[in-house]
Amino acid sequence: MAERRSQGQGGDGDAARLLLAAARERFSVAATDLLLPSEARLTEWQRLTAAALLIRLVRTIEDALRARLAEHFADHDGLHAAFSSAHVAIAQPVLERAQVLRDAELGTVLVRRVEEHRFWKENARSDDGSEEYLLDLVRDHDAGIASDAMALMIARSRRFDQFNEPVMGETELPAEIQHRLVWMIAAALRQYMVQQHGLASGRADAAIAAVAGELIASYDEGASLEACSVRLARRLARAGRLDDAVLQLILEDGLLPLFIAAIGVRAGLDYPAAWEVLSDPRGRGPALLLRAAEVERDQAAGILLVLNSRGRMFSGAEGNAAARQLDLFEATDEAAARDVLRLWQVDPGYRAAVARLSTRARSVAEAA
């Protein structure tokens, strides 16, 4: 076994900053246009799937707003007919022409969703893709665990259409992103009402404020798959049932969101932070995350093998990633790994600022 080293000392003291900058740079590029360069390592299928998810997500929110607006304008024949027509998109063309859907945070969620689905597809092809662990939890003697497991199963069912292709409803977004998207779509509908139907802007604004505010008020971020996964992971941890073997079993069963939540609970990270570290484009994140979570070597090796065989986003740029990651795992002690990941335990706004400055400094240095 390689001698462990402290990554918090000497030349490795900036490991956390570099890891964060690389992850944020990768997702910034990946999320902005959903037109990813080759180094982002997304396939054409993943890009098209992300774009399709965005279209369906926008249409879902648009339909919810239009249904409310149709009732609001029951006395306006033209608007009532337009909003009641399910076959004609109104907001989507306006938003595409204005190019206002290039939201990096929204794009990051879409990229996560696409990779989760691809991971699920890889698991479905494997011999152990039965997801029996989650079914066992639904039947668990602990009523709280059984209830949280059932909520997770229901949330998972919303992720697939009748052909097992990915879908994404508005309940899958963080509240802040969902609110921004609702107001953006509402603004597009407002433009349509004023410009195409000559509606007085004051009346349009009053209607939009009412229906969009109602939709936002009814939103429950706690129903998302990620939130359900975190609740279940925390409950398992409180019950002393989130050991190394369970982590490996969760991943082998293809339950990637639950694994991310569980490893985050073990390492003291929230869900977005655990995902960001796990998907480090240079491939070091998984090893550091497992070491910080104090996973034993045998289970860590098994987890790294699954991540690299079914989740190419977790393997880094070079081949033989699992072996390299295991070497890093063995060479890094728990304290050093936790020190590297301490940056992911602070406010996300601070992480974003550190990432922007680090990326900018590197760009300046490369140009010099």
Side-chain angles (χ1 to χ4, degrees):
M1 179 180 296
E3 182 181 355
R4 294 184 184 179
R5 65 181 181 273
S6 173
Q7 298 221 357
Q9 301 175 354
D12 290 331
D14 286 336
R17 179 178 58 81
L18 294 174
L19 180 64
L20 174 64
R24 287 295 177 90
E25 181 180 23
R26 186 248 188 107
F27 280 114
S28 176
V29 174
T32 301
D33 299 314
L34 301 178
L35 298 173
L36 308 180
S38 58
E39 60 266 24
R41 299 187 308 281
L42 290 184
T43 65
E44 185 66 17
W45 174 84
Q46 288 170 312
R47 290 194 293 272
L48 292 174
T49 303
L53 281 174
L54 178 58
I55 291 173
R56 296 179 72 169
L57 175 60
V58 170
R59 188 57 191 263
T60 297
I61 297 176
E62 178 181 341
D63 287 348
L65 288 171
R66 286 170 59 171
R68 289 172 167 82
L69 286 170
E71 295 180 5
H72 194 90
F73 290 104
D75 61 338
H76 193 300
D77 292 342
L79 280 176
H80 181 78
F83 288 142
S84 300
S85 175
H87 304 292
V88 180
I90 296 175
Q92 186 83 36
V94 175
L95 297 173
E96 289 178 350
R97 286 195 299 270
Q99 298 183 357
V100 294
L101 290 176
R102 299 181 178 183
D103 185 313
E105 290 182 319
L106 172 59
T108 297
V109 174
L110 292 170
V111 171
R112 285 203 320 233
R113 178 68 185 89
V114 169
E115 178 59 15
E116 175 210 319
H117 186 74
R118 197 194 60 73
F119 194 95
W120 175 84
K121 290 182 69 174
E122 292 292 331
N123 182 74
R125 298 191 189 104
S126 67
D127 293 335
D128 56 355
S130 59
E131 301 183 9
E132 290 183 0
Y133 177 70
L134 185 57
L135 293 174
D136 287 342
L137 291 182
V138 171
R139 299 187 290 263
D140 198 89
H141 61 85
D142 185 314
I145 289 176
S147 176
D148 286 344
M150 177 59 73
L152 176 58
M153 184 169 287
I154 293 171
R156 272 180 60 80
S157 70
R158 295 196 299 264
R159 293 286 180 103
F160 307 96
D161 63 16
Q162 64 268 35
F163 305 107
N164 279 332
E165 289 303 310
V167 295
M168 190 170 185
E170 72 272 16
T171 56
E172 301 304 324
L173 295 175
E176 183 178 351
I177 299 176
Q178 193 264 356
H179 294 174
R180 288 204 305 267
L181 192 56
V182 168
W183 287 121
M184 188 65 67
I185 296 169
L189 295 175
R190 186 255 193 203
Q191 179 177 310
Y192 171 79
M193 288 188 286
V194 172
Q195 294 185 359
Q196 301 300 319
H197 289 269
L199 190 70
S201 59
R203 188 179 180 191
D205 291 335
I208 287 295
V211 300
E214 179 183 306
L215 184 60
I216 287 173
S218 67
Y219 184 70
D220 182 11
E221 185 180 359
S224 69
L225 179 62
E226 288 77 11
C228 291
S229 298
V230 171
R231 282 197 299 272
L232 179 56
R234 288 175 176 169
R235 191 180 291 273
L236 289 170
R238 289 195 299 269
R241 295 172 55 179
L242 198 59
D243 58 23
D244 297 352
V246 168
L247 286 178
Q248 185 174 353
L249 180 60
I250 289 171
L251 193 63
E252 288 176 345
D253 266 10
L255 302 171
L256 182 60
L258 182 56
F259 173 78
I260 293 171
I263 197 68
V265 168
R266 288 276 299 265
L269 303 179
D270 63 20
Y271 191 98
W275 171 271
E276 192 170 272
V277 174
L278 194 67
S279 56
D280 165 32
R282 287 183 287 181
R284 299 160 303 162
L288 294 173
L289 193 56
L290 291 171
R291 179 56 83 187
E294 300 183 3
V295 177
E296 293 296 326
R297 193 263 185 200
D298 288 347
Q299 276 77 33
I303 288 170
L304 291 173
L305 283 173
V306 175
L307 285 173
N308 284 279
S309 63
R310 300 182 195 168
R312 289 189 295 273
M313 187 169 281
F314 312 120
S315 61
E318 300 176 2
N320 200 23
R324 289 185 293 103
Q325 290 171 350
L326 188 58
D327 287 342
L328 176 60
F329 175 88
E330 293 178 327
T332 308
D333 61 35
E334 289 86 355
R338 286 194 296 270
D339 189 59
V340 171
L341 300 187
R342 200 175 307 279
L343 184 57
W344 279 266
Q345 295 174 331
V346 299
D347 189 277
Y350 175 65
R351 292 205 307 270
V354 171
R356 284 197 298 270
L357 288 174
S358 299
T359 302
R360 176 61 178 167
R362 186 169 59 184
S363 298
V364 171
E366 291 174 350

